[in-house]
mmCIF file of all heavy atoms in Angstrom:
data_model
loop_
_atom_site.group_PDB
_atom_site.id
_atom_site.type_symbol
_atom_site.label_atom_id
_atom_site.label_comp_id
_atom_site.label_asym_id
_atom_site.label_seq_id
_atom_site.Cartn_x
_atom_site.Cartn_y
_atom_site.Cartn_z
ATOM 1 N N TRP K 143 50.663 69.847 113.801
ATOM 2 C CA TRP K 143 51.812 69.445 113.047
ATOM 3 C C TRP K 143 51.970 70.020 111.627
ATOM 4 O O TRP K 143 52.980 69.887 111.005
ATOM 5 C CB TRP K 143 52.061 67.963 113.023
ATOM 6 C CG TRP K 143 52.002 67.299 114.340
ATOM 7 C CD1 TRP K 143 51.868 67.862 115.531
ATOM 8 C CD2 TRP K 143 52.103 65.885 114.583
ATOM 9 N NE1 TRP K 143 51.850 66.906 116.550
ATOM 10 C CE2 TRP K 143 51.993 65.648 115.957
ATOM 11 C CE3 TRP K 143 52.266 64.764 113.723
ATOM 12 C CZ2 TRP K 143 52.068 64.374 116.530
ATOM 13 C CZ3 TRP K 143 52.304 63.514 114.328
ATOM 14 C CH2 TRP K 143 52.257 63.341 115.653
ATOM 15 N N ASP K 144 50.865 70.556 111.024
ATOM 16 C CA ASP K 144 50.892 70.922 109.639
ATOM 17 C C ASP K 144 51.308 72.414 109.465
ATOM 18 O O ASP K 144 50.434 73.228 109.025
ATOM 19 C CB ASP K 144 49.595 70.600 108.933
ATOM 20 C CG ASP K 144 48.326 71.007 109.760
ATOM 21 O OD1 ASP K 144 48.516 71.492 110.890
ATOM 22 O OD2 ASP K 144 47.227 70.894 109.197
ATOM 23 N N LEU K 145 52.505 72.759 109.787
ATOM 24 C CA LEU K 145 52.961 74.132 109.599
ATOM 25 C C LEU K 145 52.928 74.584 108.186
ATOM 26 O O LEU K 145 53.275 73.811 107.297
ATOM 27 C CB LEU K 145 54.461 74.195 110.116
ATOM 28 C CG LEU K 145 55.102 75.543 110.146
ATOM 29 C CD1 LEU K 145 54.582 76.415 111.276
ATOM 30 C CD2 LEU K 145 56.710 75.391 110.227
ATOM 31 N N PRO K 146 52.495 75.864 107.949
ATOM 32 C CA PRO K 146 52.548 76.332 106.537
ATOM 33 C C PRO K 146 54.004 76.148 105.993
ATOM 34 O O PRO K 146 54.905 76.627 106.665
ATOM 35 C CB PRO K 146 52.109 77.791 106.662
ATOM 36 C CG PRO K 146 51.237 77.847 107.941
ATOM 37 C CD PRO K 146 51.853 76.815 108.869
ATOM 38 N N GLN K 147 54.097 75.577 104.770
ATOM 39 C CA GLN K 147 55.426 75.358 104.271
ATOM 40 C C GLN K 147 56.255 76.671 104.162
ATOM 41 O O GLN K 147 57.429 76.686 104.370
ATOM 42 C CB GLN K 147 55.343 74.714 102.852
ATOM 43 C CG GLN K 147 56.619 74.457 102.121
ATOM 44 C CD GLN K 147 57.617 73.516 102.955
ATOM 45 O OE1 GLN K 147 57.161 72.494 103.449
ATOM 46 N NE2 GLN K 147 58.868 73.842 103.057
ATOM 47 N N ALA K 148 55.566 77.768 103.785
ATOM 48 C CA ALA K 148 56.236 79.079 103.678
ATOM 49 C C ALA K 148 57.008 79.445 104.894
ATOM 50 O O ALA K 148 58.007 80.123 104.821
ATOM 51 C CB ALA K 148 55.275 80.140 103.315
ATOM 52 N N LEU K 149 56.548 79.029 106.075
ATOM 53 C CA LEU K 149 57.225 79.373 107.294
ATOM 54 C C LEU K 149 58.433 78.464 107.593
ATOM 55 O O LEU K 149 59.222 78.774 108.476
ATOM 56 C CB LEU K 149 56.250 79.393 108.473
ATOM 57 C CG LEU K 149 55.054 80.276 108.350
ATOM 58 C CD1 LEU K 149 54.262 80.259 109.679
ATOM 59 C CD2 LEU K 149 55.503 81.721 108.033
ATOM 60 N N GLU K 150 58.469 77.325 106.863
ATOM 61 C CA GLU K 150 59.648 76.507 107.054
ATOM 62 C C GLU K 150 60.721 76.901 106.133
ATOM 63 O O GLU K 150 61.909 76.603 106.313
ATOM 64 C CB GLU K 150 59.254 75.001 106.777
ATOM 65 C CG GLU K 150 60.268 73.950 107.174
ATOM 66 C CD GLU K 150 60.716 73.965 108.623
ATOM 67 O OE1 GLU K 150 59.899 73.963 109.526
ATOM 68 O OE2 GLU K 150 61.919 74.032 108.815
ATOM 69 N N ASP K 151 60.350 77.606 105.059
ATOM 70 C CA ASP K 151 61.308 77.981 103.964
ATOM 71 C C ASP K 151 62.232 79.076 104.376
ATOM 72 O O ASP K 151 61.918 79.875 105.217
ATOM 73 C CB ASP K 151 60.548 78.423 102.700
ATOM 74 C CG ASP K 151 59.886 77.225 102.005
ATOM 75 O OD1 ASP K 151 60.218 76.111 102.307
ATOM 76 O OD2 ASP K 151 58.897 77.474 101.242
ATOM 77 N N ASP K 152 63.305 79.205 103.593
ATOM 78 C CA ASP K 152 64.166 80.349 103.565
ATOM 79 C C ASP K 152 64.450 80.944 104.950
ATOM 80 O O ASP K 152 64.973 80.374 105.834
ATOM 81 C CB ASP K 152 63.609 81.415 102.635
ATOM 82 C CG ASP K 152 63.182 80.850 101.276
ATOM 83 O OD1 ASP K 152 63.865 79.913 100.870
ATOM 84 O OD2 ASP K 152 62.208 81.361 100.717
ATOM 85 N N SER K 153 64.065 82.175 105.059
ATOM 86 C CA SER K 153 64.441 82.985 106.223
ATOM 87 C C SER K 153 63.718 82.580 107.477
ATOM 88 O O SER K 153 64.282 82.842 108.596
ATOM 89 C CB SER K 153 64.210 84.477 105.900
ATOM 90 O OG SER K 153 62.804 84.621 105.586
ATOM 91 N N PHE K 154 62.613 81.958 107.423
ATOM 92 C CA PHE K 154 61.830 81.682 108.587
ATOM 93 C C PHE K 154 62.323 80.549 109.463
ATOM 94 O O PHE K 154 62.563 80.719 110.767
ATOM 95 C CB PHE K 154 60.400 81.377 108.218
ATOM 96 C CG PHE K 154 59.622 82.584 107.823
ATOM 97 C CD1 PHE K 154 59.173 82.688 106.497
ATOM 98 C CD2 PHE K 154 59.225 83.578 108.730
ATOM 99 C CE1 PHE K 154 58.458 83.842 106.131
ATOM 100 C CE2 PHE K 154 58.520 84.673 108.370
ATOM 101 C CZ PHE K 154 58.087 84.758 107.028
ATOM 102 N N GLY K 155 62.661 79.403 108.889
ATOM 103 C CA GLY K 155 63.280 78.285 109.679
ATOM 104 C C GLY K 155 62.328 77.581 110.591
ATOM 105 O O GLY K 155 62.752 76.839 111.460
ATOM 106 N N GLY K 156 61.043 77.657 110.360
ATOM 107 C CA GLY K 156 60.078 76.800 111.133
ATOM 108 C C GLY K 156 60.107 77.029 112.550
ATOM 109 O O GLY K 156 60.367 78.198 113.003
ATOM 110 N N TRP K 157 60.044 75.996 113.305
ATOM 111 C CA TRP K 157 60.004 76.081 114.749
ATOM 112 C C TRP K 157 61.317 76.401 115.396
ATOM 113 O O TRP K 157 61.371 76.701 116.574
ATOM 114 C CB TRP K 157 59.378 74.824 115.394
ATOM 115 C CG TRP K 157 57.890 74.837 115.193
ATOM 116 C CD1 TRP K 157 57.191 74.037 114.342
ATOM 117 C CD2 TRP K 157 56.977 75.756 115.856
ATOM 118 N NE1 TRP K 157 55.892 74.430 114.394
ATOM 119 C CE2 TRP K 157 55.689 75.457 115.234
ATOM 120 C CE3 TRP K 157 57.116 76.727 116.749
ATOM 121 C CZ2 TRP K 157 54.563 76.181 115.639
ATOM 122 C CZ3 TRP K 157 55.987 77.502 117.144
ATOM 123 C CH2 TRP K 157 54.725 77.171 116.606
ATOM 124 N N VAL K 158 62.395 76.421 114.632
ATOM 125 C CA VAL K 158 63.749 76.866 115.162
ATOM 126 C C VAL K 158 64.025 78.277 114.903
ATOM 127 O O VAL K 158 64.992 78.843 115.294
ATOM 128 C CB VAL K 158 64.868 75.910 114.800
ATOM 129 C CG1 VAL K 158 64.651 74.489 115.394
ATOM 130 C CG2 VAL K 158 65.062 75.849 113.307
ATOM 131 N N GLY K 159 63.152 78.947 114.046
ATOM 132 C CA GLY K 159 63.432 80.330 113.651
ATOM 133 C C GLY K 159 62.939 81.303 114.747
ATOM 134 O O GLY K 159 62.220 80.906 115.687
#
Side-chain angles (χ1 to χ4, degrees):
W143 311 355
D144 46 354
L145 185 73
Q147 178 61 43
L149 302 186
E150 188 59 51
D151 289 342
D152 311 330
S153 56
F154 286 110
W157 285 108
V158 296

